[in-house]
Structure formats: structure tokens, C-alpha cells
Amino acid sequence: VHVLSERYGKTLPLAIMTSSKNQQETIKFFEEKKWFGLHPEQVQFICQDNLPFVSDEGNWQLERAGALACGPCGNGKAFM
């Protein structure tokens, strides 16, 4: 992002896709690393929605009895 921003003379945005399980840790990491030299306002964190896990056979996967296992949808709504 730094090189391209310099090349084009504009501050370019950076989007970071996260999940509900790592969003806060990722933001904290960027803060600790002083945004890797970027301006905080040029970095956008996009948290993916969670969807239930389904086996290859089409059965719901359980995290524990009575609770569906879920995880990030994987595309950040890019195909909606």
C-alpha cells in the first residue's frame, strides 16, 4: 500500500477481512504495530458473517450438544 500510494500520489485504502473470533485481536495488533506506517483512517476492517457448518452429507455440525458449529462465511458478502 505504501509503494502504490507513493506511485499514484494518493492515500490508498486497505481492507482487512476478519471474523468475529479475531476482529478485536487483529485491530489490537495493528494498533500495537502503529498501523504499519499507515493512517488508521485508511484501514477498514470488515467482519464476516458467521454461517453454520454443514457436513459433506448435508448434516448440521454441532459445536456441542444443542449448539450449532459456525464459522466465517468466507467471502465478506462480496458475491451478494
Side-chain angles (χ1 to χ4, degrees):
V1 173
H2 291 292
V3 172
L4 292 174
S5 290
E6 288 179 16
R7 179 182 296 169
Y8 295 105
K10 295 181 185 244
T11 302
L12 299 175
L14 177 65
I16 307 290
M17 191 178 302
T18 64
S19 74
S20 60
K21 293 182 180 182
N22 68 16
Q23 171 125 355
Q24 293 308 313
E25 291 174 9
T26 303
I27 293 170
K28 182 179 175 187
F29 182 72
F30 268 74
E31 291 170 345
E32 289 171 355
K33 298 298 181 183
K34 301 191 186 323
W35 298 91
F36 297 94
L38 301 170
H39 298 285
E41 60 272 4
Q42 82 185 96
V43 182
Q44 180 179 6
F45 296 93
I46 302 166
C47 188
Q48 301 176 72
D49 290 335
N50 286 323
L51 294 174
F53 290 136
V54 179
S55 71
D56 290 338
E57 295 79 28
N59 299 315
W60 298 107
Q61 299 293 298
L62 298 178
E63 185 172 320
R64 61 184 177 282
L68 286 174
C70 294
C73 67
N75 64 32
K77 295 185 179 177
F79 302 110
M80 296 182 87

